[in-house]
Amino acid sequence: MPPAPGDREARRDDVSRAVWQVLADKGFGGLTLRAVAAAMGVSTGMLMHYFPTKRALIAHALDLLEKRTAERPRRDRPADGLATVRAMLLDILPLTEGDTARNRIWVSSWDLALADDGLATDQADRYTRLRSTLRPHFEAARGLGEVPAAADPEQLAATAVAFTHGLVVQALFDPGRFPEDVQIAMVDDFLASITPSRPARR
Amino acid sequence: MPPAPGDREARRDDVSRAVWQVLADKGFGGLTLRAVAAAMGVSTGMLMHYFPTKRALIAHALDLLEKRTAERPRRDRPADGLATVRAMLLDILPLTEGDTARNRIWVSSWDLALADDGLATDQADRYTRLRSTLRPHFEAARGLGEVPAAADPEQLAATAVAFTHGLVVQALFDPGRFPEDVQIAMVDDFLASITPSRPARR
């Protein structure tokens, strides 16, 4: 029997929580109606009122990932230049349990996205936006002399995103090797390495 | 009817080629007996003589990924120090079609590995080995004055792996933004950034 409209509204949050839990445990590869139903202690039949197809379940999961990423708490942006870049990179890393779950789900989504032209374009656009968000702060850093005058802020943003996402993956697989303080020190060393006052080598 | 032993041997390479093709197109999320059978133009029943279970198919796919990675052509290791680090990092990147397929399959495997304790440990060990392979070359680079005397070769290796794998992911999603020459220039800029002869800032 389908749930009454009021119940249905009330249950939406429960469903999202269960979807998130399944994603955090098993990734998109383990996201099935059956797994979500089991996490909620309901029948798959009940869940089909929310997600008539696997595709609808995946679409909801991706929306939830976007939404939770957009709504996550963030550090203050302390000032122009590299201090703000630092805050933005730290906001990406898996430093807390919640950050770890979100990152684990993002990494999992790459398999799905690489197999689907539309999702791959969405992910490429997401990277373009992320670089665009960092770029003005690298421009400001250049104005402040925090990065070399000849540096290209767009390339610095691409390098910073590369370093940060690669650190995310290593830290997810080996949290003992990459605890919070090690991740933060690596970001600080990375930012220190792009500061200038040395002869160009190339 | 099961294939005769001779046919079976002869067909093993065809099966591996089909598995690789499915992985390159659809990732581990799309790896099914049906998809491999379709790629070979055979019945799933025939394929079940090779892979009685989904787990056997996944195990073969992971072995194949390890094997093709180990056997890939590599650049000469030109000299001690950063020149060798450079060759090793370039050997990782998706610079050719074959490199792109292999990287795409590795990234796809992370979803699977994060959901399985045994595979996650294998992946953490793989990262440890990769850092260990880079470390002596960073040590040599330190001896040559190519990196600061105070630098920790293990942390430099972790940073280099992070940067390289994060660049892999961005390049897979946006090959137009990250063609071969851009990836190589980013590696060169990254290596130039860790060279010394500037006052410490921290």
Side-chain angles (χ1 to χ4, degrees):
Chain A
M1 194 174 69
D7 291 350
R8 191 178 168 123
E9 278 307 318
R11 211 149 211 189
R12 204 176 289 274
D13 284 351
D14 291 345
V15 171
S16 291
R17 262 193 298 276
V19 168
W20 191 257
Q21 192 53 54
V22 170
L23 288 172
D25 287 347
K26 304 177 186 179
F28 279 90
L31 181 67
T32 60
L33 285 172
R34 183 185 296 196
V36 177
M40 292 183 72
V42 302
S43 68
T44 54
M46 195 294 278
L47 213 58
M48 288 188 72
H49 296 292
Y50 295 90
F51 309 117
T53 62
K54 175 75 185 281
R55 198 170 181 82
L57 174 60
I58 289 174
H60 178 76
L62 290 169
D63 285 348
L64 195 61
L65 181 53
E66 286 280 5
K67 188 163 171 286
R68 294 212 175 183
T69 301
E71 291 173 355
R72 76 192 191 277
R74 299 183 195 211
R75 285 162 185 77
D76 289 337
R77 303 295 182 238
D80 281 339
L82 288 189
T84 289
V85 171
R86 179 180 190 271
M88 294 172 74
L89 300 187
L90 294 184
D91 278 346
I92 293 173
L93 292 173
L95 301 177
T96 68
E97 200 173 325
D99 295 337
T100 301
R102 195 182 58 251
N103 272 293
R104 185 254 180 276
I105 298 169
W106 273 119
V107 172
S108 158
S109 76
W110 295 339
D111 182 30
L112 197 69
L114 285 166
D116 180 303
D117 287 344
L119 295 179
T121 302
D122 290 348
Q123 182 61 24
D125 291 347
R126 204 174 280 121
Y127 270 123
T128 301
R129 283 196 303 276
L130 180 52
R131 292 192 301 269
S132 300
T133 311
L134 284 162
R135 195 173 51 223
H137 304 291
F138 278 116
E139 278 165 12
R142 193 173 57 179
L144 293 165
E146 293 180 320
V147 304
D152 175 351
E154 165 70 15
Q155 285 307 90
L156 286 177
T159 296
V161 169
F163 163 73
T164 308
H165 273 190
L167 179 53
V168 164
V169 176
Q170 280 185 93
L172 288 177
F173 280 111
D174 203 345
R177 167 68 181 79
F178 296 95
E180 184 181 0
D181 60 325
V182 169
Q183 291 185 55
I184 294 173
M186 284 177 70
V187 168
D188 284 330
D189 286 347
F190 170 76
L191 292 174
S193 78
I194 56 179
T195 56
S197 61
R198 61 198 169 75
R201 278 179 49 93
R202 296 175 56 234
Chain B
M1 195 173 69
D7 291 349
R8 190 176 169 126
E9 279 307 319
R11 211 150 211 188
R12 204 175 289 275
D13 284 352
D14 292 344
V15 171
S16 292
R17 261 194 298 275
V19 168
W20 191 258
Q21 191 53 54
V22 170
L23 289 171
D25 288 347
K26 305 178 185 178
F28 279 91
L31 181 67
T32 59
L33 285 173
R34 184 185 297 197
V36 177
M40 292 183 72
V42 302
S43 69
T44 54
M46 195 293 281
L47 214 59
M48 289 188 72
H49 295 292
Y50 295 89
F51 309 117
T53 62
K54 175 74 185 279
R55 199 172 180 80
L57 174 59
I58 289 175
H60 178 77
L62 290 168
D63 285 348
L64 196 60
L65 181 53
E66 286 280 5
K67 188 163 170 287
R68 293 213 176 183
T69 301
E71 291 173 354
R72 75 190 191 280
R74 299 183 196 211
R75 284 163 187 75
D76 289 339
R77 303 297 182 238
D80 281 339
L82 288 190
T84 289
V85 171
R86 178 180 190 272
M88 293 172 74
L89 300 187
L90 294 183
D91 278 347
I92 293 173
L93 292 173
L95 301 178
T96 68
E97 200 173 327
D99 296 336
T100 301
R102 195 181 59 251
N103 272 292
R104 185 254 180 276
I105 298 168
W106 273 118
V107 171
S108 159
S109 77
W110 294 340
D111 181 30
L112 197 69
L114 285 166
D116 180 303
D117 286 346
L119 295 180
T121 302
D122 289 348
Q123 183 60 25
D125 291 347
R126 204 172 281 123
Y127 270 123
T128 301
R129 284 196 303 276
L130 181 53
R131 292 192 301 268
S132 301
T133 311
L134 284 162
R135 195 174 52 223
H137 303 291
F138 279 115
E139 278 164 13
R142 194 174 56 180
L144 293 166
E146 294 181 319
V147 305
D152 175 351
E154 165 70 14
Q155 285 307 91
L156 286 177
T159 297
V161 169
F163 163 73
T164 307
H165 273 190
L167 178 53
V168 165
V169 176
Q170 280 186 92
L172 288 178
F173 280 111
D174 203 345
R177 167 70 181 78
F178 296 95
E180 184 180 0
D181 60 327
V182 169
Q183 292 184 57
I184 294 172
M186 285 177 69
V187 168
D188 284 330
D189 286 348
F190 169 76
L191 292 175
S193 77
I194 55 180
T195 56
S197 62
R198 60 198 168 76
R201 281 179 47 93
R202 296 175 55 235

